[in-house]
Amino acid sequence: MSTPQQYEIADITVTGTQYLDKSLLLSLSGLNVGDKVVFPGGDQFAKALQSLWSQRLFAGASINVTKIEDGKIWLEIDLVEMPRIGSFAFKGIKKSEADEISGKAGLRKGNVLSEGVKQNVIGVVHKYYADKGFGNATVRVDQRIDSGAVNSAIIVFTIDKGNKTRINNINIVDNYNIADNKLKKRMKGTKEMTRITLHPDNEVIYKDSIPKESNFWQTYGYLQPTRALEQLDPYFRFKLFSSAKFNEGKYIEDKGKLIAYYNKNGYRDALIVKDTTYKSASKNLNIDIQVSEGKKYYFGDITWKGNVRYNDSTLTKILGIKKGDIYNLELLEKRLGKQMSQEGGDITSYYMDYGYLFFQIDPVETAIHGDTIDYEIRLREGPQATIKEVRIAGNEKTNEHVIRRELRTIPGEKFSRQDLIRSNREIANLGFFNPEKIGMNPVPNVQDGTVDIDYTVEEKANDQLELSAGWGGYIGLTGTLGVTFNNFSLRNIFKKETWDPLPSGDGQKLSIRVSSNGKAYRSYNFSFTEPWLGGKKRNMLSVSFYSSYQNPYAYNDYYKQLYNDTTTSPNGSFRVLGASVALGKQLKWPDDYFSLQYSLNYQQYRLKNYNYFGIPGFANGTANNINLKLTLARSSVDQQIFPRSGSNFMLSAQFTPPYSLLNPDKDYKAEPIADQFKLIEYQKYRFNAEWYVPLSKPMGSDNKTFVLKVAAKFGYIGRYNNRTTLSPFGRFELGGDGLSNFAIYDRDIISQRGYPVYYTSNPSVNPESGQPVGYEGFTVFNKYVMELRYPFSLNPSSTIFGLAFVEAANGYRDIQDYNPFRLRRSAGLGMRFYLPMFGLLGFDYGIGFDRIQPGQGLKNAAKFTFMLGFEPE
């Protein structure tokens, strides 16, 4: 054996490579011309080979000495590259599945084809199909040389999914205190197949294991599988929609839930001793789970240590756990606030609401007496934190002051968890940002006892466009053009650089709408709202102007031509001109969810040969409506489009001047009716109440949850005295979709799903006008609604939720006729689609139970209701 000597590398050549850069390979080897190496026996060569092998690019690698002379050494690095993927294919599965698998595995043409790449694909295939319930999928890999390219290979993955691996039985043993069905109910991702008991043999089979095309069902005398559901065992009703497929990940998660359920019921020592999965005779899975329950524990004495802000009795009352209650660690940690939630009501929340951001709480078991556990709750209150800086990021369009003025977390004030949550709500209710992406991150500064708060927002489109158009010979131009800018900026209107397409960012609202139905109807609407008049307080200013024209005889001549009618057509019209100015302010008492709004309104109605109301003597004339409206409202909903918690209340009173009271001796009813309505007088009251209650905790990262909405509404319009006639303006319409054109008469349109407008179960006639009461408008109404809602998408670009509803409502001719229990009832289903550009798109399918006629079923009792632009009342 030669004696090791030191040599200087004179030259290095790289051979065997076809795709890789040689200079890069030299760099990876760590060997360079001029380096000193020891040969034989030096470790530089071994390290170089190890570095090259670690790249997983080579099937072979060696370093050869080609020449030694005058203390110098010449080296050759000989490499055998792994083949590249010339093409790959999947057999036995759909193209969509193949595309998904190749994407998950990162399989690309031209990539190095190593054994690791093959094993990775096989692993992805097994996991992909296991998640879909195919636990027995097999993969065969075939590889051959690609003759069309150098060192290239064609690889084919042949996949056999096999049959779905379903769960036959879940057998839980040694559970003496909690029944099988209660434990299995916790395992939501691991369910047994549906059991069905078939007549006449009472043979228990599994519906899922019998193909639909099988003759099995006909053998037992059933024409189709669903007929076999007439006799069921107790499990069936709970597992009708269960797929019963086995998923390893969900199974592991469900075992944890099973033990958590034991812990929740006082069995703190419960554990799974062992569990086994094995094939049944039908090649499906059986699961055996053996549990050890241990004894049932109870809470003993609970003492407090380290508390200064609150005394022991106050903390014990907030905790709500007494000596002798069943031991439940999950409940204890929830009441202590170990995991902060927006609901509050726990110990940590009480401290956080008063600035104790550095607060810490630890429950410590101090003694166990048989089945009783004593606790000492140790608190470290720390100092009250003061807010130092408030930073806002993500607002690309909205000016920062618009967000900042909504915040309750003000620099220099004490930190409050409740103020943080309230700030989140206020930002969400602006409507300019994705409510699911609002971030709030308190950053404590322990050194000086302060906290910085970082808010992050994500802008969403919320301007709306309404556009439709048509042309019809005699009718003329029909359609609607409406735009609403919800984040308008009046102060930037002369700055061209801010127009996109109009100046925006100051949170103002500008709405313009023009609508036409040819010669028959035209309307123009304009409104502007400044939510923070003066910029320092939440004082709202709103102004609006509108004008409309309606000609009921517009198409008479057209129809007469069709039917060769030579009679003279009447000529008439109804015009409305209106304006409104409103001022509103946020109140501090009873709490700052309240607001008060004053609005001064004027409407002028001009009738020309227009006898729509059927009131004798009121086909011509001008009526003026000057009124003051006061609205007291309280809103605590968490967001606008899909509220999950909170409530809305609204109480309004609307008054015209009491002209008749100022002229007590005047006999108004002796005057022509048109003169009586020159100055309209009435008093009008409205009350609305809505509650939103989440029925479960938000599920998943998208915060989806069932929400119950409950609402009650009431309205009344009346005279100041009986010497006057109540005008047809300002009354209530009930029924239909709430989008009726009868709003032109300044009527409140109250929708009721399942019923047309004017439907009434007790038709009556107003003796003053001779018209049906529903047609003339109601003076009293009430309405009750209950909806169960669930969101399918909370994406701000397309918020979608479904609902099931029941509601009851009715309208009444006058207060003497009012009966809050004489209601027309309906129920049904609906969908809502909120699109940023168009607002609300929705429909309901309602069944009016009071419209059902004997022997006709639901034929004439069901009605579709469509919504566009806004949610009707």
Side-chain angles (χ1 to χ4, degrees), residues 354-511:
Y354 283 92
Y356 292 92
L357 181 63
F358 306 102
F359 172 81
Q360 296 181 27
I361 188 167
D362 293 303
V364 179
E365 294 182 7
T366 55
I368 300 177
H369 312 283
D371 62 355
T372 302
I373 303 174
D374 294 339
Y375 266 96
E376 181 179 80
I377 312 297
R378 298 174 183 174
L379 295 83
R380 291 180 291 280
E381 294 180 338
Q384 288 179 285
T386 302
I387 300 173
K388 187 177 181 181
E389 291 185 28
V390 175
R391 297 180 287 260
I392 302 171
N395 52 313
E396 299 175 357
K397 179 179 178 181
T398 305
N399 295 323
E400 185 170 302
H401 74 270
V402 174
I403 305 170
R404 196 170 289 277
R405 68 193 183 189
E406 301 290 340
L407 302 181
R408 303 304 176 94
T409 52
I410 310 300
E413 295 187 358
K414 297 298 182 184
F415 173 83
S416 168
R417 166 193 166 276
Q418 192 60 43
D419 286 345
L420 197 67
I421 294 172
R422 181 67 182 276
S423 297
N424 179 291
R425 172 192 173 275
E426 300 297 346
I427 295 173
N429 282 326
L430 283 173
F432 308 150
F433 309 104
N434 180 358
E436 309 302 321
K437 298 292 186 181
I438 297 173
M440 305 177 298
N441 181 34
V443 183
N445 305 308
V446 181
Q447 296 80 3
D448 57 5
T450 63
V451 57
D452 297 332
I453 302 177
D454 293 333
Y455 290 94
T456 56
V457 295
E458 180 183 284
E459 298 266 13
K460 71 169 186 177
N462 69 331
D463 294 331
Q464 295 176 5
L465 172 67
E466 186 179 359
L467 178 63
S468 64
W471 178 265
Y474 185 84
I475 297 174
L477 179 66
T478 65
T480 298
L481 173 61
V483 289
T484 300
F485 298 94
N486 290 299
N487 195 0
F488 185 71
S489 175
L490 184 63
R491 68 188 177 94
N492 290 326
I493 198 165
F494 297 111
K495 299 178 182 179
K496 292 184 179 180
E497 64 274 13
T498 65
W499 286 56
D500 184 26
L502 284 180
S504 61
D506 279 344
Q508 299 161 344
K509 181 177 180 179
L510 176 68
S511 179

Side-chain angles (χ1 to χ4, degrees), residues 227-334:
R227 293 288 304 278
L229 307 184
E230 295 173 1
Q231 293 186 352
L232 314 172
D233 81 338
Y235 286 113
F236 176 80
R237 66 186 73 251
F238 299 108
K239 301 215 175 69
L240 180 59
F241 300 104
S242 163
S243 65
K245 66 183 182 183
F246 179 76
N247 183 295
E248 180 72 28
K250 291 182 179 179
Y251 174 54
I252 294 172
E253 183 180 330
D254 285 340
K255 287 192 290 183
K257 290 179 181 178
L258 188 149
I259 296 302
Y261 185 67
Y262 263 111
N263 297 158
K264 187 176 180 179
N265 285 275
Y267 297 93
R268 57 165 275 179
D269 299 331
L271 55 87
I272 293 177
V273 178
K274 64 179 180 179
D275 65 289
T276 308
T277 60
Y278 57 94
K279 294 285 183 66
S280 66
S282 62
K283 295 186 179 180
N284 288 307
L285 281 181
N286 285 336
I287 300 176
D288 292 346
I289 301 175
Q290 181 183 358
V291 299
S292 172
E293 295 180 324
K295 66 172 67 173
K296 190 171 186 176
Y297 289 88
Y298 300 85
F299 284 111
D301 294 322
I302 299 178
T303 58
W304 304 88
K305 183 178 180 181
N307 50 306
V308 176
R309 172 79 191 187
Y310 300 104
N311 58 36
D312 290 4
S313 59
T314 301
L315 293 176
T316 299
K317 184 178 180 179
I318 297 171
L319 185 66
I321 296 175
K322 305 183 296 295
K323 184 177 181 178
D325 287 353
I326 294 173
Y327 176 82
N328 184 341
L329 182 59
E330 179 184 337
L331 177 64
L332 176 64
E333 291 187 341
K334 180 180 179 181

Side-chain angles (χ1 to χ4, degrees), residues 36 75 166 169 176 197 270 326 416 503 555 635 646 728 806 819 846:
K36 304 294 184 180
L75 303 177
R166 300 186 183 275
N169 276 327
Y176 305 108
T197 304
I326 294 173
S416 168
Y555 305 133
S635 177
V806 292
N819 182 345

Side-chain angles (χ1 to χ4, degrees), residues 785-804:
V785 180
M786 184 178 293
E787 288 183 357
L788 181 64
R789 300 174 162 197
Y790 184 78
F792 299 109
S793 169
L794 291 173
N795 190 317
S797 64
S798 178
T799 301
I800 304 171
F801 64 88
L803 58 88

